[in-house]
């Protein structure tokens, strides 16, 4: 008996020592990690940092640093409201390309010319991102991290279900709309009470109604009509007949009952409405394609039911879809570790690592390299064929694309437009009044920056936009 007790006692001691050893090892590892220099990153959302978190251990081992993240509780499109009022500095800024001019004006970004000129595979980045996303005023200030494109998503099963009814009423098959008139008509037609309980359970579409990005849903219509923001002397054109029609059509669609009532959707809400089966169509960023197969993060109810194509256009030769928003990584000019920050940026945006983001349902990154479109595998999709179809649609969207206004005050111009669109959508002003007010605010912004200076930047941006739309994807 004593022998048995002695053996049990020794076993207990061994187990205890093992636990203490494990706890000690974990403690040492934690203390060692905390001793590593921190590289701080600030971003608009936790979702946009997913790739960094996936690669955190590799970065720690490769570069001898620990990553420290800063982001709001929910995706914030105007993070700068906080950032510019704060005295805190970060090593890496994740920002929308359209905001680069504002950061440069505040002397917050380190020019990356030397880093980028010496980096490998820079020619692998598509010109639309290389020349529009990364550059401002002759210098590189950001490395592209997320190449956003807009696509039209539609429910294939719903279109098939109601095809005969639509054909009987309109004389042609129910297919994804190619023009905005078709889009509005189909949206109204596909708003249905499917279970006949007196309540709408399928809406034709929805728009981004939340702050900051609703201007895109208007601008796509306006630009596809041949609309321009300014004339050669920076006089606003947004309030012209085309602008009023584009905005009035959007208001009429919102008032028609074809969109969920009182919906002020942001990006997350809009995705949820479509992926949960409440919408027949939606214009969204291209990552919605792989989210439609994601049950874990998005609780998708539409797996294998979603198709995608180019965004409608009134004139097929006009810009459509394209590269709205996106993300680049810039280095603070007050960073204590700029070289180390660049090593991390170079790693996370490299061919190999950036491709991992496109094959994951947990990230929100979209293609931006030639290599992302080549050697196609199944990626985040069930089959190689579906991935290839998706990538070919993105390619089409990058031909003659829309893009954010990359001039000094570009984001400010668009936010003035965004706020006035909201007033029109809730009937606090008419379409004409909203755009006249926008034009007045745009003139004030232009005067503040200097009309001739702005006119020069605007001409350069138009030339560049035309140039990048002519590049071959192959």
């Amino acid at each position: 008996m004593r022998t048995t007790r002695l053996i049990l006692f020794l076993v207990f001691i061994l187990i205890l020592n093992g636990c203490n050893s494990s706890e000690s090892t974990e403690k040492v590892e934690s203390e060692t990690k905390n001793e590593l220099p921190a590289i701080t990153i600030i971003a608009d959302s936790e979702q946009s940092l997913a790739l960094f978190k996936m690669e955190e251990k590799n970065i720690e081992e490769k570069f001898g640093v620990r990553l420290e993240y800063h982001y709001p509780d929910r995706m914030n499109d105007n993070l700068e409201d906080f950032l510019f009022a704060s005295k805190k500095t970060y090593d890496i800024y994740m920002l929308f390309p359209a905001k680069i001019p504002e950061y440069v004006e505040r002397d917050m970004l380190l020019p990356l010319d030397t880093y980028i000129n010496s980096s490998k595979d820079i020619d692998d980045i598509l010109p639309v991102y290389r020349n529009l996303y990364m550059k401002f005023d002759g210098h590189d200030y950001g490395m592209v991290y997320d190449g956003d494109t807009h696509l039209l998503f539609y429910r294939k099963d719903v279109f098939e279900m109601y095809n005969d009814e639509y054909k009987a009423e309109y004389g042609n098959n129910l297919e994804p709309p190619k023009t905005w008139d078709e889009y509005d008509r189909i949206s109204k037609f596909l708003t249905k009470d499917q279970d006949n309980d007196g309540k709408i359970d399928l809406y034709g579409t929805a728009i981004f109604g939340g702050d900051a990005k609703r201007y895109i849903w208007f601008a796509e219509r306006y630009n596809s009509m041949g609309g321009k923001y300014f004339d050669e002397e920076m006089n606003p054109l947004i309030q012209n007949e085309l602008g009023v029609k584009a905005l009035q059509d959007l208001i009429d669609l919102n008032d028609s009952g074809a969109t969920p009532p009182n919906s002020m959707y942001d990006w997350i809400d809009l995705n949820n409405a479509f992926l949960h089966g409440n919408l027949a169509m939606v214009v969204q960023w291209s990552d919605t394609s792989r989210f439609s197969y994601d049950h874990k993060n998005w609780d998708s109810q539409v797996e294998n039911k979603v198709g995608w194509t180019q965004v409608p256009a009134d004139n097929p030769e006009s810009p459509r879809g394209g590269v709205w928003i996106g993300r680049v990584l810039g280095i603070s000019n007050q960073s204590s570790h700029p070289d180390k920050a660049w090593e991390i940026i170079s790693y996370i945006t490299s061919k190999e690592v950036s491709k991992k983001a496109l094959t994951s349902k947990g990230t929100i990154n979209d293609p931006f390299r030639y290599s992302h479109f080549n050697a196609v595998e199944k990626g985040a999709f069930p089959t190689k064929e579906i991935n290839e179809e998706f990538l070919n649609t993105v390619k089409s969207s990058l031909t003659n694309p829309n893009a954010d206004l990359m001039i000094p005050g570009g984001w400010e111009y668009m936010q003035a437009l965004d706020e006035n669109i909201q007033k029109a959508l809730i009937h606090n002003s008419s379409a004409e009044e909203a755009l006249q007010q926008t034009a007045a605010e745009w003139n004030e912004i232009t005067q503040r920056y200097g009309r001739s200076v702005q006119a020069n930047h605007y001409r350069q941006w138009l030339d560049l936009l035309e140039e990048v739309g002519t590049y071959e994807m192959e």
Side-chain angles (χ1 to χ4, degrees):
M1 179 66 73
R2 287 181 179 178
T3 303
T4 302
R5 287 177 179 174
L6 180 61
I7 291 171
L8 291 174
F9 176 73
L10 290 173
V11 169
F12 173 74
I13 293 298
L14 287 171
I15 292 173
L16 186 61
N17 285 338
C19 290
N20 288 339
S21 175
S22 175
E23 291 174 1
S24 177
T25 301
E26 290 176 3
K27 183 178 180 182
V28 169
E29 288 178 353
S30 176
E31 289 175 351
T32 301
K33 181 176 180 179
N34 288 333
E35 289 173 2
L36 295 175
I39 296 295
T40 57
I41 307 171
I42 186 166
D44 59 284
S45 64
E46 184 176 14
Q47 293 95 328
S48 63
L49 287 163
L51 182 58
F52 278 94
K53 293 186 175 183
M54 285 169 53
E55 292 295 316
E56 189 175 275
K57 189 69 175 176
N58 290 334
I59 289 172
E60 180 184 323
E61 292 174 353
K62 280 178 175 289
F63 307 113
V65 298
R66 60 185 173 89
L67 299 180
E68 185 179 292
Y69 308 110
H70 301 266
Y71 52 87
D73 291 335
R74 190 175 175 98
M75 187 173 287
N76 189 320
D77 302 309
N78 287 309
L79 186 63
E80 289 72 23
D81 291 345
F82 152 77
L83 188 60
F84 295 158
S86 169
K87 293 183 179 180
K88 186 172 176 59
T89 60
Y90 305 88
D91 294 294
I92 296 175
Y93 293 116
M94 185 185 295
L95 62 156
F96 302 156
K99 296 184 177 183
I100 287 178
E102 193 169 7
Y103 279 69
V104 172
E105 291 157 19
R106 293 174 179 270
D107 196 27
M108 295 174 67
L109 292 179
L110 189 72
L112 302 181
D113 306 59
T114 303
Y115 291 120
I116 287 175
N117 290 339
S118 62
S119 66
K120 66 175 185 176
D121 299 329
I122 196 68
D123 292 337
D124 187 49
I125 297 177
L126 298 176
V128 67
Y129 300 114
R130 172 73 182 94
N131 298 332
L132 280 176
Y133 268 32
M134 297 167 58
K135 291 182 176 292
F136 173 67
D137 204 21
H139 295 284
D140 287 308
Y141 286 101
M143 182 68 177
V144 61
Y145 169 75
D146 175 19
D148 279 347
T149 55
H150 253 200
L151 301 177
L152 171 68
F153 295 92
Y154 63 97
R155 287 279 300 280
K156 293 186 292 186
D157 58 325
V158 170
F159 274 61
E160 182 179 351
M161 182 188 306
Y162 292 104
N163 180 69
D164 290 345
E165 182 182 334
Y166 185 85
K167 188 173 183 179
E169 185 169 348
Y170 294 104
N172 54 279
N173 288 325
L174 180 55
E175 297 176 342
K178 292 183 171 61
T179 68
W180 289 111
D181 283 345
E182 289 178 354
Y183 179 88
D184 292 348
R185 181 172 69 243
I186 292 172
S187 295
K188 295 168 188 174
F189 173 79
L190 288 178
T191 299
K192 302 288 185 180
D193 172 11
Q194 294 182 300
D195 56 8
N196 297 313
D197 67 349
K199 298 178 182 179
I200 299 298
D201 46 34
L202 178 70
Y203 289 92
T205 192
I207 63 172
F208 195 117
D211 289 345
K213 291 177 185 164
R214 66 173 76 88
Y215 73 91
I216 298 172
W217 274 253
F218 160 80
E220 285 182 311
R221 289 176 178 253
Y222 176 62
N223 293 343
S224 81
M225 297 175 181
K228 301 291 184 185
Y229 295 135
F230 304 97
D231 66 14
E232 293 182 355
E233 297 178 347
M234 285 300 288
N235 296 303
L237 300 175
I238 198 80
Q239 75 281 22
N240 64 17
E241 184 178 344
L242 291 179
V244 172
K245 177 178 175 11
L247 182 51
Q248 189 60 55
D249 287 349
L250 198 61
I251 295 168
D252 292 344
L253 175 65
N254 206 42
D255 289 346
S256 69
T259 63
N262 304 314
S263 56
M264 293 294 291
Y265 292 161
D266 64 7
W267 174 76
I268 295 173
D269 297 327
L270 193 55
N271 261 338
N272 280 330
F274 182 69
L275 297 173
H276 294 171
N278 302 324
L279 307 175
M281 292 189 298
V282 70
V283 172
Q284 261 286 31
W285 280 275
S286 58
D287 45 14
T288 296
S289 58
R290 66 182 189 267
F291 298 158
S292 68
Y293 294 91
D294 184 358
H295 299 284
K296 178 182 178 183
N297 300 297
W298 289 98
D299 187 28
S300 174
Q301 306 296 307
V302 293
E303 182 176 0
N304 293 316
K305 297 178 181 179
V306 176
W308 41 78
T309 186
Q310 287 199 74
V311 172
D314 273 21
N315 180 351
E317 303 303 316
S318 293
R320 60 197 304 188
V323 295
W324 299 107
I325 303 298
R327 290 175 178 85
V328 296
L329 301 174
I331 300 176
S332 169
N333 64 4
Q334 296 186 43
S335 171
S336 301
H337 311 284
D339 291 345
K340 192 63 68 175
W342 173 252
E343 288 180 356
I344 294 165
I345 290 173
S346 184
Y347 172 79
I348 207 79
T349 61
S350 66
K351 281 185 179 183
E352 297 77 13
V353 178
S354 62
K355 190 173 182 179
K356 291 182 184 179
L358 308 182
T359 62
S360 168
K361 297 183 181 73
T363 65
I364 63 173
N365 302 53
D366 294 296
F368 62 86
R369 288 182 173 274
Y370 284 108
S371 57
H372 293 160
F373 294 87
N374 300 329
V376 178
E377 301 165 355
K378 72 174 186 177
F381 297 95
T383 67
K384 173 182 175 181
E385 288 71 26
I386 295 174
N387 192 22
E388 189 168 20
E389 178 195 352
F390 161 71
L391 291 171
N392 286 335
T393 306
V394 173
K395 285 182 184 180
S396 299
S397 183
L398 296 177
T399 302
N400 193 17
N402 281 302
D404 275 301
L405 185 61
M406 285 282 290
I407 67 173
W411 184 255
E412 194 176 351
Y413 285 113
M414 291 301 107
Q415 291 311 290
L417 172 62
D418 195 85
E419 291 174 8
N420 286 306
I421 288 172
Q422 166 64 357
K423 293 175 183 176
L425 287 172
I426 63 174
H427 299 289
N428 279 355
S429 68
S430 67
E432 186 174 3
E433 290 168 344
L435 295 177
Q436 286 176 344
Q437 178 62 29
T438 300
E441 292 176 27
W442 282 11
N443 273 323
E444 292 176 2
I445 296 169
T446 299
Q447 287 296 117
R448 192 166 69 248
Y449 283 97
R451 189 166 296 274
S452 62
V453 171
Q454 292 295 83
N456 185 51
H457 280 292
Y458 183 61
R459 281 193 299 272
Q460 291 176 356
W461 177 77
L462 288 175
D463 291 343
L464 191 57
L465 189 57
E466 182 177 358
E467 178 186 331
V468 298
T470 63
Y471 281 93
E472 294 292 332
M473 283 292 300
E474 303 299 339

